[in-house]
Amino acid sequence: MTDRVKAALRAHRIETPSWAYGNSGTRFKVFAQDGVPRTPYEKISDAATVHRFTGVAPSVALHIPWDRVDDYADLASFAAERGIALGTINSNVFQDDDYRLGSVTNADPAVRRKATDHLLECVDIMDATGSADLKLWFADGTNYPGQDDIRARQDRLAEALSTTYARLGEHQRMLLEYKFFEPAFYTTDVPDWGTAYVHCVATGPRAHVVIDTGHHAPGTNIEFIVTVLLRAGRLGGFDLNSRFYADDDLMAGAADPFQLFRIMYEIVRGGALAPEAGIAFMLDQSHNIEPKIEAVIRSVMNVQEATAKALLVDAGALAAAQAAGDVLAAHAVFMDAFSTDVRPLLGELRQDMGLDPDPFAAYRRSGYHEKVCAERVGGAAAGWGA
Ligand code: RM4
Ligand code: MN
């Protein structure tokens, strides 16, 4: 049992987002922190540091244009020298004045062309970085009934997706992310998993849905969506974070560790944990008041804890209780796993991997933070739009 759980945890991969290392905030204030990276190269050094202490975060997602560089192959070798790879390329068609009324769904063909060209540029970048996944999130939508033609916007979206998909290589995938509201407040063009699924199916077999855990109405049963998409072969991955209210982008597993456990259980149940299953476990967080690298380490550990508990569910006992219709015995099997303290097991696993059993404390002791605070003086700290 323990060996099986440890082997699965050792193989699990969590991708960290470059933007998690830069300054971010709310619309009220961005609190600057010391030692924050100023360039994509420095973000990669931070991501490599997270991997050095956790051992399970060997790739970093980029956001274009925030991480634009002259030579992506050079960025990829810089990452490789530090033991990590460049992962998912996230497109950004939401921070330009031209996109006020939408990007790929804009009524103006010139704006649509500009947005689609950006998506195609992202595929060029993937070719240079060796990235396998293109992640699409659109801020597109409307604020007022009648503002634009909902159906025409769906047609425009479908066209942009097909054009972009046609540019992908055989080994590359398109991941479509949904979000129920914000920044649009009346309609959002990809508001839910159903809409994303419909577009993915129409687009092609390598188009998959991404679940950002913060992008649902309160009370939504996310693990149910996980199961439906997995069963349909269309779950591409996650943007993991947590929330108390809306898209809070807090550390994964912080607000509701039980929900993260339930999600990871459906992943384990669906045979989708191993990297070969093709589910990308990415973090998508915004650290407004907490130290960034520590927050990413904490999130990685939280995801590992939820995963370890999910792996500990006694499948045989659960199936027997379910078959017998024993509601509370089945529930007890589930809760026993959730209630297990998996920290000793994870500590042992890290020692087996040649790591410190407590990545958080080891990072604090390492002096990395003090070092980058001393080095990263002058210049502009990275942040949204930088
Ligand atoms: C969006 C969405 C995307 C992320 C940006 C930063 O709300 O979650 O995945 O790339 O934020
Ligand atoms: Mn996201």
Side-chain angles (χ1 to χ4, degrees), residues 198-262:
V198 164
H199 280 284
C200 285
V201 168
T203 303
R206 282 174 288 107
H208 295 273
V209 181
V210 163
I211 299 177
D212 182 314
T213 45
H215 289 190
H216 306 85
T220 302
N221 182 333
I222 299 175
E223 61 270 26
F224 186 84
I225 300 171
V226 171
T227 303
V228 171
L229 287 173
L230 262 185
R231 189 170 171 274
R234 289 287 175 166
L235 180 61
F238 292 91
D239 269 5
L240 297 166
N241 50 47
S242 66
R243 54 78 79 75
F244 288 99
Y245 301 102
D247 189 19
D248 303 351
D249 278 339
L250 298 174
M251 297 185 300
D256 189 348
F258 186 40
Q259 178 186 61
L260 186 55
F261 160 75
R262 298 190 315 258

Side-chain angles (χ1 to χ4, degrees), residues 3 118 191 199 209 241 297 334 374:
D3 286 349
H118 170 73
H199 280 284
V209 181
N241 50 47
I297 291 175
F334 212 69

Side-chain angles (χ1 to χ4, degrees), residues 14 84 270 382:
I14 299 163
I84 63 169

Side-chain angles (χ1 to χ4, degrees), residues 282-354:
M282 299 172 276
L283 303 177
D284 178 13
Q285 303 177 171
S286 181
H287 307 116
N288 304 340
I289 57 170
E290 60 277 60
K292 287 137 205 327
I293 296 175
E294 292 185 2
V296 178
I297 291 175
R298 179 86 248 169
S299 298
V300 169
M301 293 171 72
N302 287 350
V303 174
Q304 282 188 298
E305 284 180 24
T307 307
K309 291 177 183 204
L311 287 161
L312 285 173
V313 173
D314 184 338
L318 185 62
Q322 289 172 345
D326 192 338
V327 176
L328 294 188
H331 179 59
V333 171
F334 212 69
M335 295 311 292
D336 276 349
F338 178 64
S339 304
T340 308
D341 183 357
V342 293
R343 290 172 299 178
L345 173 80
L346 283 163
E348 245 178 63
L349 169 72
R350 293 186 186 113
Q351 271 171 323
D352 295 351
M353 293 168 73

Side-chain angles (χ1 to χ4, degrees), residues 143-164:
N143 276 9
Y144 294 99
Q147 178 190 319
D148 195 12
D149 189 300
I150 294 173
R151 183 166 170 153
R153 292 176 78 92
Q154 288 295 302
D155 293 340
R156 296 170 198 147
L157 172 65
E159 196 187 323
L161 294 177
S162 304
T163 307
T164 310

